[in-house]
């Protein structure tokens, strides 16, 4: 190695050390902490012995003792292993921390799966994986109200934390109190994964994993399958854009060459589960869901012959920081993300042990614990999204492109009414002066070229006279960087490198960033403030709702040293924004619909209607829809933007959703060289009859189940599915190329059949 090379390496090491010392993250109460770095010392003493599990007071150290009981369950504590299990008092079914069928499990694997927790910690670089049974220290159990608490003192890595197990009316809740976590000087906690093998299944069993991928997916248990080199491991509510590595596959020094992941669905509901024949469970993340991942591994992953699912709670995120021309430095958040973490396990039995029972369990949690109340509908509606205006940049200056004026919107409403569409809602995009992107986050004045405020008021009144609700689309979250309506220096979020975070869209062909427009993410308090200042102006328009763009799907933190904001705080801001809109305007809508919006919205557009189809997923299921049917009206992707129109329409009927279309008065050819050039077919004349026909068919099929929950869903044959609603109505869907007979009901090829009167199974 040359002296020049040695010198360069030395400079890089010095720079990396300086960055680790200088990059500070401010935390509550003025506390500052350097980015996690190692001082080489983790252990609190020289003890090298395995962990000592102390005896529970009043019990022998190696006995199983009941620690709680209610009318339905017993909670048992195993003193030998420091683990618990649930027992149903009437059926005798049991749910263990680790599988009881250990066929094919080696001795070394046994020591791994009989652990209550997987721990990830860092000494400044890549995280180290461990568990309590691998470390020296103590596990001290103690009775608490409704259960037992185990305090872990892992002296070999300087980590202390507690796990609390409590009985609930419907199962067991596991909690990691934040106040119980203590770190040593050298090792910094990255994540905790409680009960990683809870009720895990052997590959020979009959059942499946449920994962909340998009609308939902199941992974069937199979003895023989492809060799899987990865597992399902996704962030609840998607990755945090404040950290580049959480939303990109590859982060490079030149951000133009960053690689985005292939398009995929995200997790909208913090719930997972396992079905083992007549026994199963739903696991609901009740605390800490904003910084957590769902992990689900098929048999054979990491050479362990078990199907398993769990939640991993993040306490520190990491990212890559680039230092001049010297290279990259991995950095962790200096302080932990605060807050308790909790997951509730709801045991399921018999016919309710499958994904429908899991959805019912989560629905009950939403209504009973979260207070989500149903949003009733009078009748099934067609949703129309009408594009108003958009600005096209030219070589010199720009051109405002009118796609739908407010008078033309009236004409579109009339034309659809003439086609027999007697119930619809209309959402206007690009209605403000700057068009679809324009001057956001400011939305006023109303675009004069579309008719101005007076014409918009006329449209709202005209629609109201026909029983049609007018909703305005608004974006206070992700504005165009060059809009000039906010200050980048103080209004946008920053990453660990303290730089304003720039967001670009991915090119679907190259998976690298698109050229042209770039966006920034507003601080949640800034977004809320700008919206609140405009609410009075919305009220004067006579509209009935606002659809808040990005609020239902995009969740981020702010790593600005002077104003650190967590994802949980952002979600709380979004909920307050939605409540303000509901209270003052009358209705709030969102796209996609993450769970934190439930109870705060009247409608969800572009709800997840599919899964990501990862290689280990066997089937997409309507878990999302089973949870929400009869609670919140939802719609799928626009009908004029579907990849496979006929099959997507059938899935919409199967999932109990009405059609949505994104249209315009002017032809979509006018959108060339605009940011909306992906809307390739929007002329309402082209879609008037197809959309109206879809509405008539869907309304006829779904009118009998208006406001009715889904209580059953089954795959009867490879191409035939049955959805059963609470009032006994069943809808059969046949995706095949030939007619099928199911339950003595004939379903034509590529069609569906509705059976009323409770005669369906």
């Amino acid at each position: 190695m040359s002296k020049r090379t040695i010198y360069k390496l030395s400079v890089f090491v010095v720079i990396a050390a300086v960055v680790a010392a200088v990059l500070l993250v401010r935390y509550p109460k003025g506390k500052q902490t350097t980015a996690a770095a190692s001082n080489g010392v983790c252990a609190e003493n020289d003890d090298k012995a395995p962990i000592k599990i102390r005896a529970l007071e009043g019990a022998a150290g190696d006995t199983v003792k009941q620690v709680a009981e209610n009318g339905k369950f017993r909670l048992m504590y195993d003193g030998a292993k420091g683990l618990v299990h649930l027992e149903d008092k009437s059926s005798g079914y049991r749910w263990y921390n680790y599988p009881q069928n250990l066929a094919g499990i080696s001795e070394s694997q046994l020591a791994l799966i009989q652990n209550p927790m997987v721990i990830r910690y860092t000494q400044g670089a890549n995280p180290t994986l461990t568990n309590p049974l691998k470390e020296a220290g103590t596990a001290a159990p103690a009775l608490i109200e409704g259960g037992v608490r185990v305090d872990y003192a892992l002296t070999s890595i300087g980590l202390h934390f507690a796990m609390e197990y409590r009985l609930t009316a419907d199962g067991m809740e596991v909690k990691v109190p934040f106040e119980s976590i203590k770190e040593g000087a050298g090792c910094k906690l990255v994540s905790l994964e409680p009960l990683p093998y809870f009720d895990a299944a052997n590959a020979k069993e009959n059942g499946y994993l449920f994962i909340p991928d998009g609308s939902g997916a199941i992974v069937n248990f199979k003895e023989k399958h492809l060799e899987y080199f990865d597992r399902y491991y996704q962030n609840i509510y998607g990755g945090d854009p404040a950290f580049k590595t959480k939303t990109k596959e590859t982060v490079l020094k030149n951000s133009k060459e960053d690689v985005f992941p292939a398009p995929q669905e995200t997790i909208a509901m913090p719930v997972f589960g396992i079905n083992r024949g007549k026994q199963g469970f739903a696991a609901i993340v009740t605390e800490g869901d904003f910084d957590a991942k769902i992990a689900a591994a098929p048999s054979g992953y990491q050479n362990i012959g078990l199907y398993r699912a769990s939640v991993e709670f993040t306490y520190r995120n990491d990212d890559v920081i680039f230092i001049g021309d010297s290279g990259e430095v991995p950095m962790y958040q200096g302080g932990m993300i605060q807050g308790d973490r909790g997951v509730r396990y709801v045991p399921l039995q018999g016919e309710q042990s499958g994904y429908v029972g899991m959805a019912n369990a989560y629905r009950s949690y939403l209504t009973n614990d979260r207070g989500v109340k149903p949003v009733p509908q009078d009748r099934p509606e067609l949703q129309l999204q009408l594009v108003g205006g958009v600005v096209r940049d030219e070589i010199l200056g720009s051109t405002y492109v009118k796609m739908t004026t407010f008078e033309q919107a009236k004409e579109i409403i009339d034309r659809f009414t003439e086609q027999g569409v007697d119930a619809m809602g209309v959402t206007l995009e690009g209605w403000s002066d700057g068009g679809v992107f324009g001057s956001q986050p400011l939305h006023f004045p109303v675009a004069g070229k579309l008719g101005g405020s007076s014409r918009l008021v006329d449209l709202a009144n005209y629609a109201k006279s026909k029983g049609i609700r007018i909703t305005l689309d608004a974006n206070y979250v992700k504005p165009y960087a060059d809009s000039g309506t906010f200050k980048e220096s103080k209004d946008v979020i920053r990453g660990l490198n303290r730089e304003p975070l720039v967001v670009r869209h991915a090119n679907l062909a190259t998976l690298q960033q698109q050229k042209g427009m770039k966006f920034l993410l507003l601080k949640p308090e800034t977004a809320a403030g700008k919206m609140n200042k405009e609410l009075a102006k919305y009220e004067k328009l006579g509209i009935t709702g606002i659809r808040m763009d990005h609020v239902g799907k995009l969740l981020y933190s702010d790593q600005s040293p002077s104003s650190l904001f967590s994802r949980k705080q952002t979600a709380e801001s979004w909920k307050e924004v939605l409540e303000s809109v509901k209270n003052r305007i009358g209705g709030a809508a969102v796209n996609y619909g993450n769970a934190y919006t439930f109870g705060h919205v009247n409608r969800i557009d572009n709800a997840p209607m599919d899964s990501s189809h990862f290689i280990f997923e066997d089937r997409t299921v309507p878990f999302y829809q089973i949870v929400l049917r009869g609670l919140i009206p939802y719609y799928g992707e626009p009908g004029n933007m579907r990849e496979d129109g006929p099959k997507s329409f059938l899935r919409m009927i199967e999932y109990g959703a009405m059609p949505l279309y994104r249209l315009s008065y002017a032809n979509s050819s006018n959108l060339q060289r605009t940011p909306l050039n992906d809307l390739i077919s929007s002329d309402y004349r082209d879609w008037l009859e197809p959309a109206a026909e879809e509405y008539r068919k869907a309304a006829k099929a779904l009118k009998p189940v208006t406001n009715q929950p889904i209580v059953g869903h089954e795959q009867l044959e490879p191409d035939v599915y049955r959805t059963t609603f609470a009032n006994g109505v069943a809808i059969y869907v046949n995706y095949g190329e030939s007619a099928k007979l199911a339950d003595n009901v004939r379903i034509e090829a590529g069609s569906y059949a509705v059976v009323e009167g409770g005669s369906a199974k």
Side-chain angles (χ1 to χ4, degrees), residues 386-389 400-413 426 428-431 447-452 455-456 459 663-666:
L386 301 181
V387 178
Y400 185 91
V401 181
K402 292 189 295 185
M403 297 301 294
T404 309
T405 68
F406 302 134
E407 284 298 312
Q408 291 167 345
K410 286 184 185 180
E411 181 179 332
I412 293 174
I413 289 173
V426 176
L428 303 180
E429 298 180 61
W431 53 271
K449 293 182 179 179
L450 300 181
R455 294 296 186 183
L456 180 53
L459 172 61
L663 304 175
S664 61
Y665 190 90

Side-chain angles (χ1 to χ4, degrees), residues 355-566:
Y355 60 85
V356 175
M358 298 174 196
N360 289 337
Y362 184 53
R363 182 189 180 98
S364 295
Y365 167 76
L366 291 176
T367 56
N368 297 331
D369 292 60
R370 287 267 309 273
V372 177
K373 293 180 172 56
V375 180
Q377 278 190 303
D378 296 331
R379 51 187 174 169
E381 289 185 348
L382 171 71
Q383 285 296 328
L384 294 180
Q385 297 179 193
L386 301 181
V387 178
V390 62
V391 173
R392 178 173 57 224
D393 289 333
E394 311 288 4
I395 296 177
L396 293 175
S398 60
T399 301
Y400 185 91
V401 181
K402 292 189 295 185
M403 297 301 294
T404 309
T405 68
F406 302 134
E407 284 298 312
Q408 291 167 345
K410 286 184 185 180
E411 181 179 332
I412 293 174
I413 289 173
D414 289 341
R415 293 293 303 276
F416 272 95
T417 302
E418 292 167 3
Q419 289 287 326
V421 179
D422 55 3
M424 73 180 94
V426 176
T427 299
L428 303 180
E429 298 180 61
W431 53 271
S432 63
D433 197 40
V436 172
F437 295 101
S439 57
Q440 296 167 359
L442 300 183
H443 294 75
F444 289 86
V446 175
K449 293 182 179 179
L450 300 181
S453 296
S454 61
R455 294 296 186 183
L456 180 53
V457 171
D458 288 344
L459 172 61
N461 291 333
Y462 182 76
K464 191 177 297 183
S465 70
K466 293 179 173 291
I468 297 171
R469 289 185 289 271
I470 294 291
T471 299
L472 298 185
D473 194 71
N475 169 28
Y476 293 95
V477 175
K478 192 171 82 171
Y480 181 35
D482 296 332
S483 71
T485 56
F486 59 93
K487 293 184 178 180
E488 183 176 311
S489 60
K490 70 172 187 175
D491 290 336
V492 306
I493 70 165
R494 297 170 184 262
L496 280 184
N497 62 358
R498 297 187 176 186
E499 295 296 323
L501 190 77
V502 177
V503 177
R504 294 185 183 272
H505 294 162
N507 184 306
L508 296 182
T510 65
L511 294 183
Q512 293 182 321
Q513 72 175 36
Q514 289 183 0
K515 294 181 179 179
M517 297 183 74
K518 64 179 181 179
F519 301 86
L520 295 166
L521 299 176
L522 291 188
K523 293 177 181 290
E525 61 268 35
T526 299
K530 291 187 177 295
M531 187 214 69
N532 286 326
K533 288 181 179 179
E534 294 191 329
L535 277 178
K537 296 179 181 179
Y538 286 108
E539 290 178 306
K540 294 179 181 179
L541 296 175
I543 60 169
T544 56
I546 303 176
R547 188 178 68 184
M548 303 298 295
D549 267 4
H550 309 297
V551 166
K553 188 176 183 180
L554 186 59
L555 195 62
Y556 50 82
S557 64
D558 182 7
Q559 299 303 309
S560 301
S562 59
S563 58
L564 186 73
F565 220 69
S566 70

Side-chain angles (χ1 to χ4, degrees), residues 682-734:
S682 65
D683 191 322
Y684 90 95
R685 300 165 193 81
D686 297 333
W687 292 98
L688 176 62
E689 291 185 7
E693 183 182 7
E694 272 201 359
Y695 164 77
R696 292 191 295 267
K697 288 181 177 179
K700 183 178 180 180
L702 298 178
K703 186 176 181 179
V705 295
T706 302
N707 299 319
Q708 291 293 311
I710 295 172
V711 297
H713 183 267
E714 294 179 79
Q715 181 180 25
L716 304 178
E717 294 185 33
D719 292 319
V720 179
Y721 297 82
R722 180 182 65 212
T723 305
T724 307
F725 295 82
N727 60 355
V729 174
I731 296 180
Y732 296 77
V733 175
N734 177 11

Side-chain angles (χ1 to χ4, degrees), residues 32 53 88 147 224 286 319 418 494 514 532 657 733 737:
Q32 287 189 332
I53 302 176
D88 186 286
K224 296 182 180 180
T286 56
D319 212 350
E418 292 167 3
R494 297 170 184 262
Q514 289 183 0
N532 286 326
V733 175
E737 297 179 354

Side-chain angles (χ1 to χ4, degrees), residues 201-203 205-209 219-222 274-276 307:
N202 191 281
E205 296 186 59
N206 179 37
Y208 52 80
L209 302 177
V219 181
N220 291 324
F221 300 164
K222 298 179 287 290
I274 297 179
N275 165 263
R276 296 172 53 222
Y307 284 88

Side-chain angles (χ1 to χ4, degrees), residues 552-714:
K553 188 176 183 180
L554 186 59
L555 195 62
Y556 50 82
S557 64
D558 182 7
Q559 299 303 309
S560 301
S562 59
S563 58
L564 186 73
F565 220 69
S566 70
R567 295 228 299 178
K568 179 180 180 179
Q569 290 172 300
T570 299
E572 293 299 325
S573 292
W574 293 167
K575 288 189 281 187
E576 291 174 4
V577 161
L578 293 171
E579 281 298 311
S580 295
V581 171
K582 281 179 62 179
N583 293 335
R584 295 187 59 178
I585 308 301
V590 293
N591 283 306
Y592 206 78
N594 285 339
Y596 53 81
T597 66
F598 300 165
H600 308 283
V601 294
N602 303 84
R603 191 182 85 229
I604 296 172
D605 294 340
N606 297 288
M609 301 286 284
D610 203 352
S611 64
S612 301
H613 297 277
F614 292 115
I615 191 171
F616 42 74
E617 294 179 349
D618 292 290
R619 180 157 63 93
T620 300
V621 295
F623 183 91
Y624 187 95
Q625 287 72 22
I626 297 171
V627 171
L628 289 187
R629 193 63 163 67
L631 273 184
I632 305 172
Y634 52 82
Y635 297 81
E637 66 178 332
N640 56 311
M641 300 178 72
R642 301 178 193 144
E643 292 183 6
D644 188 332
K647 286 190 175 181
S648 294
F649 175 71
L650 285 182
R651 173 163 287 187
M652 188 181 71
I653 298 298
E654 179 192 351
Y655 286 15
M658 286 294 293
L660 179 151
Y661 278 80
R662 189 183 186 197
L663 304 175
S664 61
Y665 190 90
N667 192 275
S668 55
S669 60
N670 293 340
L671 295 173
Q672 293 182 35
R673 296 183 290 111
T674 77
L676 296 182
N677 58 7
D678 59 335
L679 185 57
I680 59 176
S681 179
S682 65
D683 191 322
Y684 90 95
R685 300 165 193 81
D686 297 333
W687 292 98
L688 176 62
E689 291 185 7
E693 183 182 7
E694 272 201 359
Y695 164 77
R696 292 191 295 267
K697 288 181 177 179
K700 183 178 180 180
L702 298 178
K703 186 176 181 179
V705 295
T706 302
N707 299 319
Q708 291 293 311
I710 295 172
V711 297
H713 183 267
E714 294 179 79

